[in-house]
Structures are given as structure tokens and as C-alpha cells.
Amino acid sequence: TGLVHTAPAHGQDDFRIGMASGLPLDCEVDENGCYLSTVGHGLANLSIFGEGNARILDLLKDDIMLQHEYIHSYPYDWRTKKPVFLRASKQWFMNTLELKAKALEAVDGVTIHPPNAKSTLKGVVEKRPYWCISRQRVWGTKIPVLYHKETEEVVISQELIERYSSLIDSHGTGFWWTLDIDEILEGTSYDSSQYCLGNDILDIWFDSGISWSAGLGSHAHMYLEGIDQFSGWFYTSLLTSVALTGKAPYKEIFVHGFTLDEKGNKMSKSVGNVVDPQDIVLGTKSKPAKGVDVLRWWVGLHASSGSSVL
């Protein structure tokens, strides 16, 4: 027996349990990783990884029976190498359940090389429960929505959509960045003093997933990418195309594997284990030149033979 700590606002499993059990989903940590003033106990603005930890231990000191350090696994950001902290926040989602049946039907009409990879794409479509299409970044394609200042309610209407479309024609797709709210709402029935502009941007996978429309103007004959794109570009392109046109954005998909280093590790610039194709073609001080035809032959023979290529 034991006690289980559950924090619905700070973890996917806990969030699902909290939703099912009707627990509060309030998040008491801000975007900087510091406690909000509503927490009380002198924790306001203290870092959850630093002073906040020390303050909590101090608050509980009279009730702590045993305290010791415990080493355990913990998620870290792959780029910054810093610890990740999960917190619930309001986001925009695409309801993938509404598109699942049509998407699976569309996949049946797509030729995939190699053929056994079709089950991988179908598996992603069947199992992925939702698609969060919003992000909080200082750059990107803004999600053009207004929020009421007092109620924080989202404001979307046909009048606003037509206004935004007109501004794209006259000011380009960056109008949300370059115009203030008075200019954006000029000529509409909305009082600009009552609203504020949304700051969320679209997931970059949405940007690339809609490229079949913006780049080609129609559907492509073939998409060619790595095997990891079944849950990325292949998937997002499929959903946006099915939602807007009712069919897949591609007739065929050609999938290739990943080139690994001589030890079987993924090549990464940050790790410094990338093999430059030019070194293979022209050679180095320690390795002879192979020539471009040998490299082409090797890629053609092995690139799609499996998920990993040594």
C-alpha cells in the first residue's frame, strides 16, 4: 500500500486521471517555471527547480520523518540539455477523430514504397488521439483570433475571417505582426478597446502539412522523406488534405531509412559524428576518395532497404 501523488496540471497520465475523476486542473506554475502568487506560503515567483524546492522543504520540516536524495530518470530537452517541466495550458486542437475514417480510406489509395510501410502510416492515423496545432513562440504563423479582455473568451466570426482575408490581400500574411488591433478591426463592428490579439502561432507541422496547397496548388505525385515522417509530414499533410479536399495530398510515398555512423548511432551535428558526403566523394587525409558514382550506388542500393543504414 502507499500514497500516490497526482498533479493533473503537470503530467499527461495525471491529466487524464484528473479529467476522469473531476479533479481541479488549475496550473499554479507560470511559463517561467515559477510559482504563482495564488499558491501562497511565500512561494510566489520562486523557481520550482530552485528556491521553491528549498522553501517547500522548509515549510514541511516539522512534519518530515526522513529526507534523502533519490536518483531517478527524468525528461530532459534534447537541445538545451535542461530538465523539462510539464504544465497544463490552453491550446488549439484539431479533432483527428472526425477525420480518422476518411484518412484511413485515403491511405488505401496511396502506393507506399516499401509496401509493408503502409501499416505504419495507418497505425499513426488510428492511434493518434488529437493534434495540438498551437505553439507559444516569438516567431511563426500567428493564429488569427481575438480574445475578450474581461472574459478571455475566444472571438471568431465570419465577419472577422473576411476581414483577415482582405488584410492578407492588402498587407500580406504578416499583417498580424505589422498592424495594431485598431488597424486590424478598422471597418468592422468590433470595438478594438474590448479585445486583444492572440499570440499563439501554428505548429510548424501545420505549416509544412499544408504545403501541398500553397506550394503545388494541387496534389503531388510523390512525397519522399525519412521513415520518421509517418508521424510527421506524411501524417499532417494527409490530415489537412483530407479535411479540405477529401483525399490524400499524394499518390505515392517513398520512404528511406537513416544513415548512421560507423558505431550505429544517429548522426547529429551537436554530437559531431556526421559523415560529410564530400569526404566520401573526394576523400580525406586518412580515407581514399570513393567518387560520386560509388556514393550514388550505395544510396540507391541501401537507402530504402531498412530503417537504419550503416
Side-chain angles (χ1 to χ4, degrees):
T1 60
L3 297 176
V4 178
H5 166 260
T6 302
H10 303 293
Q12 295 175 340
D13 292 334
D14 287 13
F15 183 82
R16 284 191 283 267
I17 293 173
M19 288 283 288
S21 305
L23 300 177
L25 304 176
D26 299 330
C27 179
E28 301 289 359
V29 179
D30 65 19
E31 294 180 356
N32 294 315
C34 297
Y35 288 107
L36 299 175
S37 59
T38 52
V39 177
H41 305 290
L43 288 165
N45 301 318
L46 297 184
S47 170
I48 59 172
F49 287 124
E51 308 96 321
N53 255 346
R55 174 59 180 163
I56 288 176
L57 289 174
D58 184 60
L59 290 169
L60 298 174
K61 62 183 179 182
D62 294 335
D63 299 311
I64 296 177
M65 298 179 63
L66 174 66
Q67 177 183 333
H68 67 96
E69 292 186 358
Y70 176 72
I71 299 176
H72 60 90
S73 61
Y74 193 85
Y76 273 70
D77 175 48
W78 67 273
R79 186 181 295 274
T80 63
K81 316 301 183 187
K82 293 183 178 181
V84 173
F85 181 75
L86 301 181
R87 57 186 296 276
S89 58
K90 293 182 179 180
Q91 304 290 341
W92 291 92
F93 293 87
M94 178 182 288
N95 188 349
T96 54
L97 294 178
E98 291 289 328
L99 300 170
K100 181 185 294 187
K102 290 183 178 179
L104 289 172
E105 183 180 346
V107 172
D108 285 333
V110 177
T111 301
I112 300 180
H113 311 277
N116 60 2
K118 179 172 287 192
S119 60
T120 303
L121 180 56
K122 279 193 166 185
V124 173
V125 175
E126 289 173 343
K127 297 176 182 178
R128 192 164 181 175
Y130 53 80
W131 178 12
C132 178
I133 61 171
S134 56
R135 295 291 186 272
Q136 290 69 53
R137 297 286 188 274
V138 295
W139 55 269
T141 303
K142 290 284 190 177
I143 298 178
V145 295
L146 301 177
Y147 293 87
H148 194 280
K149 288 183 177 179
E150 291 187 4
T151 65
E152 297 185 353
E153 291 184 357
V154 176
V155 182
I156 302 175
S157 69
Q158 186 63 36
E159 179 187 6
L160 288 175
I161 292 174
E162 292 176 357
R163 173 59 177 166
Y164 302 155
S165 299
S166 174
L167 290 172
I168 289 176
D169 293 336
S170 59
H171 291 80
T173 55
F175 78 89
W176 204 261
W177 293 97
T178 58
L179 303 181
D180 59 34
I181 191 168
D182 293 327
E183 295 171 305
I184 291 176
L185 295 181
E186 183 179 353
T188 70
S189 61
Y190 293 86
D191 181 0
S192 61
S193 65
Q194 300 296 313
Y195 305 95
C196 60
L197 302 177
N199 290 318
D200 294 338
I201 67 165
L202 283 168
D203 174 19
I204 58 172
W205 286 110
F206 189 94
D207 286 343
S208 60
I210 203 73
S211 60
W212 57 266
S213 174
L216 299 172
S218 62
H219 296 79
H221 291 289
M222 176 182 285
Y223 271 36
L224 187 154
E225 252 292 0
I227 195 169
D228 61 326
Q229 295 306 311
F230 279 126
S231 59
W233 190 40
F234 298 153
Y235 173 78
T236 58
S237 298
L238 176 67
L239 282 196
T240 57
S241 182
V242 168
L244 294 172
T245 70
K247 59 181 182 180
Y250 32 65
K251 297 178 181 178
E252 299 182 51
I253 291 177
F254 185 92
V255 182
H256 62 76
F258 292 108
T259 305
L260 309 179
D261 67 10
E262 62 271 17
K263 296 181 180 179
N265 298 316
K266 176 184 175 182
M267 289 196 287
S268 171
K269 288 184 290 185
S270 61
V271 175
N273 63 339
V274 175
V275 178
D276 191 334
Q278 185 168 308
D279 292 343
I280 298 174
V281 174
L282 301 178
T284 64
K285 292 181 179 180
S286 60
K287 296 181 179 181
K290 301 293 185 181
V292 67
D293 287 334
V294 170
L295 181 59
R296 287 171 176 163
W297 170 82
W298 179 82
V299 171
L301 185 63
H302 299 289
S304 59
S305 61
S307 61
S308 299
V309 182
L310 290 172

